[in-house]
Amino acid sequence: MGISRERELDTERAMVASLYDRLDQIRDRTRVDLRRTQRDQTAGTPAAITEQDAFVRLYAERLQALEAAETRLCFGRLDLTDGQIRYIGRLGMADDDQRPLLTDWRAPAAEPFYQATSVDPRDVVRRRHIVTAGREVTSLEDDVLDLSALANGAGGVQAEDVQGGGVLMAALAARRTGRMHDIVATMQAEQDVIVRSPLPGILVVEGAPGCGKTVVALHRAAYLLYTYRDKLARSGVLIVGPNRIFLHYIAQVLPALGETAAVLSTPGQLYPGIDARAWEPEMVAAVKGSPRMVDVIARAVRSRQRVPDSDRRLEVGGTTVVMTPAMVASARDRARSSRRPHNVARRTFVLTLLDALAAVLADERQVDLGSNRDYLIGDLRDSPDVRREVNLAWMPITPERLVSDLYAEPARLAECAAGMPPDDRALLERPRGAAWTPADVPLLDEAAELLGIDDEAQRQAQARSDADRRAENDYAESVLEMTGTRGVSAEQMLDRYSGPDEVMSVAERASDDREWVYGHVVVDEAQELSPMMWRLLARRCPSLSMTVVGDLDQTAATAGAEDWGQALRDITRSRHRTEERWRVERLTVNYRTPRPFMDLARDVLIACGREPAPVESIRDGEAAVILKTDAPGDVAALVAQVVGREDVGRAAIITAASLVDEVDVRVREALPDGIVGHGDDRLDATVSVLTVQQAKGLEFDAVFVVEPDLIDAEAARRGTDLYVALTRATRSLTITYTGDYPRSLSRIDHSAIASRTH
């Protein structure tokens, strides 16, 4: 290393050290502020207590962001044509005089670090990547963008400072850890443009495997929370991923970027109180995901609004009254005309029907209706016969009960799904108590929207709460009278000793509230979502501010998208506007998958008569290896050979759903305890055994694809699942099979496969 370069390193080491010193100062002050606020005993009124809790949460979140900035606090520097030097990092920092020391990577001033090129240098002479290990600067890599500045030495740039883009390649070559990491130091120009896209509307980010769609979407969420904090911090951001393994994989990204106002959820968790994880055949999920189910659920709700087929004689306090079908029909029509949800409109139905019955009861008792109405209504409410008939005509019901009954009662299903082919109706039948599946969740949500909350129960609960409060107030007044206390009211005493309500974060409140409206939604593997799931997401974010991430070449679900226009048509349709509210950005560079693996995967799709979207892989590598084995479980011996290799941090065995348990058992028997992961956090272990659906969105150093023909045979769309499986590896790809050579690989160019015997 030249003397000039050594001086540059010393300069940056000193600068980075000073930035960490400043970080420590800010962190220490924040800790002091947090402790002082937590110990503050002066807050007495509910308003003061709420304000105190808000500051506690503010300081705690700030402290979390400062802790997250510990890793790669400063990773870049811009030397500008006007002589200004601008350091880029995880967060913005200033000195005590508010002079900027470090620019947040999301700020407009940081854009040139990602977007400047030699063609459009954006007033940048030099872009410097600062590589650190802990708090120590280990190396520098410079991109000189203004060659004229290089010629005259502007900005202190010397010829020996010009180096290649090794920072990105080093990051790509690093061993996998089972967790996704942020890319703030290595984000590329096409990725940065997407990250900084405006908030409104649906942004579809599509691209082949390995293009960084997910990490770009997460960085966009962090960017939006920074840029539109006043709007989004109150409402939060919803992140929807395909399964819990995937959510565990991405869970560190947003906290590492200092953002906590996000809710992570699978499609099966989007209905509060339910975590739908049960498996069902793809053809069943396709029927449930069809738009036809909108009408089916609506009919199921209306079927709970019944008119009796004949008169009903009701005993009311010793008097018999007759309830006619016409009375019930009139009350039903009036309740329906309110256009309120079923459980809310029930109040209108009940009051209307009781009014009609009260008139009959007054005639039977020969009393004046006007002056005796309350008395008559009270007798009607006390009558078991009346309560029974009112409930039979219009029973309050939960979404879970409505959908469960629909599945469990063939006659009811036939009535509500009359226009559906009998074979499709038969697919929906199942017994009560069966576990919920992800495809059930949009139907439960649709039902909840049509049913509403039983506000009568709410009013009764509020009445009980008010009564309890009055009783507590009376007790407080008696205590004050007994003790002779002056200057304190009973209300103040209650507020002081009952304690504040629990203060929850935005994420905690949002995840428990079905009617919560998010400021933005990020959807990963969006090509798999059914029309019914899109309806659910549109209710969670009526503004349709979304980042939708997907690849149509990877669509596996029968109810999934074949094109984005078809997938988004229903939720973007409006009576008041006809223009489409979505746009597409495409990532074109594959950073993860070596070229031989990507070529092989593309050939599989082409052999199935499909033309995958073009993509450029920037990494070379060895060809995939295909091996014949005596049994699928023999892959365990192959995996054992790579476990512990320096270049392998994580390995995956990917196979068909029908085979995954058998392979998992064999691999666990062959490898030491703790090597093979299980459960939602299985990626923390060295080896994972996965189905293709579980592997979506993930990446591994070494991948073993077991029985490719079986994977293809069990897929809803030929070639798709195998395409996904073949694109998960970053270093080595091994394909094993038993029996004849895989038909799924027999019609492709074999230059990307090396055959061996095991």
Side-chain angles (χ1 to χ4, degrees), residues 17 35 54 73 109 132 135 194 200 209 283 303 332 366 464 502 514 516 525 619 635 643-644 664 685 701 707-708:
R35 286 196 293 268
L73 170 64
T132 58
R135 295 190 168 198
I194 294 172
M283 61 183 68
S303 72
R332 182 197 62 183
Q366 297 182 349
R464 288 194 296 271
E502 182 183 1
R514 193 197 71 83
W516 187 273
E525 301 294 343
R619 302 179 64 204
V635 70
V643 172
D664 186 68
D701 298 303
E707 300 295 351

Side-chain angles (χ1 to χ4, degrees), residues 1 5 139-144 159-166:
M1 181 183 297
R5 199 61 177 173
S139 64
L140 308 173
E141 295 202 10
D142 292 341
D143 301 324
V144 175
E160 63 266 29
D161 294 334
V162 181
Q163 297 186 21

Side-chain angles (χ1 to χ4, degrees), residues 740-754:
D740 296 333
Y741 191 86
R743 292 189 301 277
S744 54
L745 303 178
S746 61
R747 296 192 302 275
I748 66 174
D749 179 2
H750 283 71
S751 61
I753 302 179

Side-chain angles (χ1 to χ4, degrees), residues 292-306 336 342-343 392-409 411-418 428 443-444 446-448 450-451:
R292 296 174 298 179
M293 294 303 296
V294 174
D295 290 336
V296 173
I297 297 298
R299 292 192 197 103
V301 172
R302 290 174 74 88
S303 72
R304 300 292 178 148
Q305 302 161 5
R306 307 183 185 97
R336 284 180 174 177
H342 172 91
N343 288 332
L392 286 173
W394 196 300
M395 173 77 81
I397 190 170
T398 66
E400 294 87 338
R401 176 67 184 271
L402 183 93
V403 176
S404 181
D405 285 354
L406 181 68
Y407 293 154
E409 301 175 15
R412 185 186 299 275
L413 183 58
E415 174 191 350
C416 298
L428 294 176
L443 306 187
L444 291 170
E446 190 79 22
L450 296 177
L451 292 173

Side-chain angles (χ1 to χ4, degrees), residues 121 147 180 216 227 229 248 286 323 326 374 382 401 449 564 621 636 702 714:
L147 295 179
M180 178 178 280
V216 166
T227 307
R229 186 164 300 280
H248 182 76
M323 183 183 77
D374 290 344
D382 289 340
R401 176 67 184 271
E449 195 72 9
W564 295 115
E714 294 185 5

Side-chain angles (χ1 to χ4, degrees), residues 169-177 619 647 701 730-731:
M169 297 309 295
L172 297 177
R175 296 196 323 165
R176 269 52 196 169
T177 64
R619 302 179 64 204
D647 63 339
D701 298 303
T730 65
R731 294 179 182 274

Side-chain angles (χ1 to χ4, degrees), residues 57-71:
R57 187 165 62 246
L58 174 67
Y59 290 134
E61 290 176 355
R62 177 62 173 162
L63 194 58
Q64 184 177 5
L66 294 169
E67 295 288 355
E70 177 69 31
T71 303

